[in-house]
Every structure is written in C-alpha cells, then in structure tokens.
Amino acid sequence: MLKHPAITEDRIRKALPSIEALIYPQKAPVSIEAWHVGGEPVSLETALAASYQPFAVGGAWGPLWDTTWFRVRGEVPSSWKGEETVLLMRLTDQGREGFTAEGLVYANGNVVRALNANRREIEVSTAAQGGEAFEFYVEAAANFTDPGGNPAALAAGPIFRLAQAELASVNRAAFDYYYDFKIACELMSALPQDSQ
C-alpha cells in the first residue's frame, strides 16, 4: 500500500502532458483559405470552383447551421524523409462531439475521413519522401453548441474559431504509450485503492 497515494496519483496524472508532447515531435505551418457558403450545404464541385480567401488559425467561422469550406495546402519538409506525417486540424475548442463543429475531408475529389472533436489527424504520408505537396478540402459544419443560455446569441454571427491546422510528424510509439498510460490513469481514478 502506498504511503501517500493522493500525491503519487497526482504525480502520475501530471506526467500525461509530457508524454503527449512526444506524439508530434515536429510541426510545420500550412496554407489555409476559407470560403463561407452563407446558406445551405453545397456539392464538392461547387466548393472546388469557389473563390477562397486567406484564413488563419484562430479565425472565426460558421454562423449556426452554416457551412465553411477550408482549403489546406502545404509541403512536407525535405528533412522529414521517412517520417509518418499528418495534418492536425481542429475546427473548434468548444462543445461535445456530434453537438458542435464537425467536418468532412476531401482529397483528389474523394472523401478521406470525418473530422470532429475526437478525430483530428488527416494522413498525409505513412513514410514521407520529403518535399511532396498536399491539398485537402474540408467541409466544416457549424452545428449546435451551448449558447450559455442565450439561443439568440448563436444567430449573431460566427460561433466557432479554427483551433488548429498544422503539419506534424508522428511518433507512433509515443502515441501508443500515451494512450496505454492514459487508460491506466483513468482506471487508477475509477477503481478502489486496493484494486490490482
């Protein structure tokens, strides 16, 4: 039995951010542009032909139930040869999955994956050559979020901010270790102290 279990458990929990920081050891900026639809959703073909404007991480988008299309472009740094690379993209910092911003990612005219609070990695390369260009279109939906008790506030304008869009290399060993460690921490918090 531990002499000071609360202190030990707190130290274990505090290790999580340090381990998480090892998952994406290298990051690089990407080019972001946006087209705000201003109405009902449109087809991919319409979005591809639209006029996009420069957009920055932290920028506001999406009046309630509206759609914004993001075009994200970049190039894998030549020094990342052999690295697994992903685009990390988070449409917002607020709300629960399925009740907030979510998106659909396209590349070369095909759906690649869904994007939401729990899914932010978009594969660029499993083993980069270095120097390869990429381009993704993201159809971002401004779904319902908690207006803090004031539904009228949602109609006033953009309700989300683009929280993240950057290229990253991936350390899968750190990724796997982090989630094993995180689950063990959650079990430690949920189970009785005398549990194995």
Side-chain angles (χ1 to χ4, degrees):
M1 190 74 62
L2 294 172
K3 188 171 181 182
H4 302 286
I7 294 171
T8 301
E9 289 180 9
D10 188 51
R11 290 178 66 200
I12 291 169
R13 280 187 206 92
K14 286 181 178 175
L16 269 172
S18 298
I19 299 167
E20 186 177 23
L22 301 173
I23 296 173
Y24 305 108
Q26 304 174 95
K27 294 183 178 171
V30 294
S31 168
I32 311 160
E33 297 171 297
W35 173 54
H36 307 288
V37 175
E40 293 296 317
V42 299
S43 68
L44 173 62
E45 292 73 22
T46 301
L48 291 174
S51 178
Y52 286 75
Q53 301 299 318
F55 198 86
V57 170
W61 68 276
L64 184 60
W65 308 123
D66 205 348
T67 302
T68 293
W69 282 81
F70 293 101
R71 180 167 58 200
V72 184
R73 296 173 169 163
E75 184 175 295
V76 177
S78 57
S79 61
W80 293 14
K81 183 174 179 151
E83 298 284 339
E84 178 182 358
T85 56
V86 295
L87 171 64
L88 297 175
M89 192 161 180
R90 287 188 337 185
L91 298 173
T92 187
D93 282 345
Q94 65 186 56
R96 300 183 313 274
E97 181 178 3
F99 293 95
T100 184
E102 57 189 353
L104 194 57
V105 181
Y106 296 85
N108 302 315
N110 298 307
V111 172
V112 173
R113 66 164 304 136
L115 193 64
N116 57 44
N118 293 317
R119 294 169 185 86
R120 67 178 179 146
E121 280 190 5
I122 304 166
E123 182 182 299
V124 174
S125 177
T126 54
Q129 295 301 307
E132 60 263 51
F134 61 88
E135 177 180 72
F136 295 104
Y137 283 82
V138 179
E139 180 183 18
N143 296 337
F144 182 76
T145 188
D146 180 7
N150 181 9
L154 292 176
I159 57 175
F160 296 119
R161 296 199 178 277
L162 181 63
Q164 181 181 34
E166 60 188 336
L167 187 66
S169 64
V170 184
N171 178 337
R172 280 293 159 203
F175 180 94
D176 293 342
Y177 181 69
Y178 170 78
Y179 283 100
D180 287 347
F181 197 89
K182 185 173 187 283
I183 289 168
C185 283
E186 290 169 356
L187 285 170
M188 173 185 72
S189 298
L191 297 174
Q193 186 178 341
D194 60 354
S195 168
Q196 288 185 354

